[in-house]
Amino acid sequence: MNTHSKTVYYQEAFPILMAVDCVIFGFDRQELKLLLFKRKIEPFKNEWSVIGSFVSPTEGVKESAIRVLEEYTGLSNIFMDSLNCYGEIDRDPGARVVSQAFFALIRLGEEEAQMVETHQANWFGLNSIPPLILDHNQMVKDSLEKLRRKTRYQPIGFELLPEKFTIPQLQSLYEAIYQRQLDRRNFRKKILSMNILEKLSEKDKSTSKKGAYLYRFDSKRYEEMVKRGIDFVL
Amino acid sequence: MNTHSKTVYYQEAFPILMAVDCVIFGFDRQELKLLLFKRKIEPFKNEWSVIGSFVSPTEGVKESAIRVLEEYTGLSNIFMDSLNCYGEIDRDPGARVVSQAFFALIRLGEEEAQMVETHQANWFGLNSIPPLILDHNQMVKDSLEKLRRKTRYQPIGFELLPEKFTIPQLQSLYEAIYQRQLDRRNFRKKILSMNILEKLSEKDKSTSKKGAYLYRFDSKRYEEMVKRGIDFVL
DNA sequence: CCAAAAGTGTTATCGCTACACCCATGA
DNA sequence: TCATGGGTGTAGCGATAACACTTTTGG
C-alpha cells in the first residue's frame, strides 16, 4: 500500500470512522463482571461505556482492540474474539461511526487493578450494569449470548482462572457464565473425563477446612481439544 | 446526526473505507454452490471475487450487504448473517479498507439466473473455487466453517429449500453442507422428532417412480425452536 | 464435636448409531 | 417384472441426569 495508489483507486468510496469496542468480562473467583468506563470525549462525556477507541491508520482492527485492552488493563495475550459489527447509520450522533465489537475474558487479580483505576474504569456485576451509551447495552447482551454459546463448543472459560485452580472454582465459573446451578458430581465427572486437567498434590484451603485439590491444565491436550472443537455441553 | 456535529466531534479519528463482502451460497437440489463475480474495478479488475461493495453514507452496514445481494440476485428477504470483520492494515493494496463479511443462503431457481448473468457472476461448486482476490478465499473458508457450526444450533439450512420439499431433498442439503453421507433412517427420525415439519398429501415424483412425500415447515414451531436455540447435531 | 465444604457411585433414561428389508411405480 | 429410490424398526451402547452419604479439619 502506498499513498499514490490510495489516491488512484476507490475514488467513489465514502470514508467513515471505524471504532473498536471491547466487552471485557472478568472473573473474581465468585462472580462474572464487566469492565466499563466513563467516556472521556463528547458526546456523552462521563457516561458509562464499554472500553473502545477509534482504529488508527497504523493498526489493524483486531490489533486496535488488543491495544485498547492493554491500555486499560495492562494485560496482553488475552483471549479475545470478535463479536459483531455495529453499523447502523445513526448509531452514533457524533458522526458516522462503524464499530467492530470484541469480547475478552480476563481473570481479576492485582495486575490490572491499578490501570483500571487510573482510567476511571470500574467492574460491574452482571446484575448491576448501568445504562450505557449508544448501542453498548446491546453489545453486552450479544457478548453474553456469544460467550454462553461459545463455551458449548470450546472450553473457553478456562482463560478466566488462575494457573492452579480447584474443581469447585471451575464449577463456580461455569455457574457464573450460565447463571444456574450445576450438579457437583456430574460436573466433576464430565470435566475429568476430558483428560485436560492435571491433578496436583497441593490443596487450596482458602474456602474450606478440608481443602480442595488444585488442578492445572494439560495445555497440550487442551489445544488438541480446541482444535477438534469438541462438544462441551453442561 | 447532522453535519455540524460531524465536524465538531471526533476530530482525532482517521477516516477509512468500509466495504461489505457477501459470501453467497446457493443450493440447486444437489450441490452447494458459491456465487462469485469478476471484479469491475482496479486493482484486480476482472479477477474473481465474492460480491461486495463499499458502504455508502446513506446506508447501514447490514443494509449495504442486503442491497448488494439484491443487486446481484434480485432476491430480498434472504437469510443473511454477519461473518467477520477483515481489518488487516494491508489487506487491500488499493487503500485502507475494512471489510465486514456476511454470508447468505439462497435457493437456486429461475429468478436469480438473469441477474447473475448480467453481472458476469457465476456459480461455482465448492470443489472448484478459483483463486480469489485479497483475503476472499479466507472469507469463503470462514463462511463454510460458520455455516457448518451454525447448522448445529439452528436449523438454518431450511432457507435453501423450496416451500414444499421432500425429506430426501432436505437430507441432500445437509449432506452438501457437511460434505458427508448421512443415514436415511436416522436423518428422518431426527428431523421428524423436532415437530417442525408438516406432511402434505402430495408427492414429488421428479426423482423416483414411487415418489416422495412433500413437507412444509410449521413456521410457528420453527420460530420457537430457533428462539430456544435447540441443538441440531447431525 | 460440629459445621461447612469436598469428594465419591449407582441407576434409569434418553438419544445416537448401525444396520436390512419391504414398498410403490414407471418403463 | 424389474430397477430405482422411498420408506420403516430395532437392538446395543454410551452419555446424561438425578440423587445421598462419607470425609476432612479448623474452630
Side-chain angles (χ1 to χ4, degrees), chain A residues 188-226:
Chain A
R188 186 178 287 269
K189 210 183 307 169
K190 175 121 192 197
I191 206 85
L192 288 175
S193 75
M194 303 179 117
N195 286 320
I196 51 174
L197 297 187
E198 184 191 346
K199 185 174 185 172
L200 306 176
S201 46
E202 305 167 67
K203 281 190 162 189
D204 168 32
K205 297 208 171 183
S206 64
T207 54
S208 79
K209 293 159 186 173
K210 184 178 177 183
Y213 280 105
L214 287 164
Y215 288 78
R216 182 161 50 194
F217 289 112
D218 183 333
S219 30
K220 252 182 143 175
R221 300 193 74 105
Y222 174 68
E223 294 300 333
E224 277 171 31
M225 241 196 72
V226 171

Side-chain angles (χ1 to χ4, degrees), chain A residues 1-3 5-6 57, chain B residues 89-90 92-97:
Chain A
M1 182 167 72
N2 59 58
T3 320
S5 62
K6 272 195 206 179
Chain B
I89 213 170
D90 284 328
D92 187 331
R96 176 67 197 272
V97 181

Side-chain angles (χ1 to χ4, degrees), chain B residues 133-159:
Chain B
I133 60 164
L134 310 178
D135 43 14
H136 287 198
N137 282 298
Q138 185 64 39
M139 286 182 189
V140 170
K141 202 174 152 231
D142 294 344
S143 296
L144 266 168
E145 199 174 308
K146 177 143 188 182
L147 175 60
R148 285 173 187 150
R149 177 165 315 137
K150 194 140 181 153
T151 48
R152 293 175 70 95
Y153 62 88
Q154 275 187 25
I156 215 179
F158 298 153
E159 325 278 345

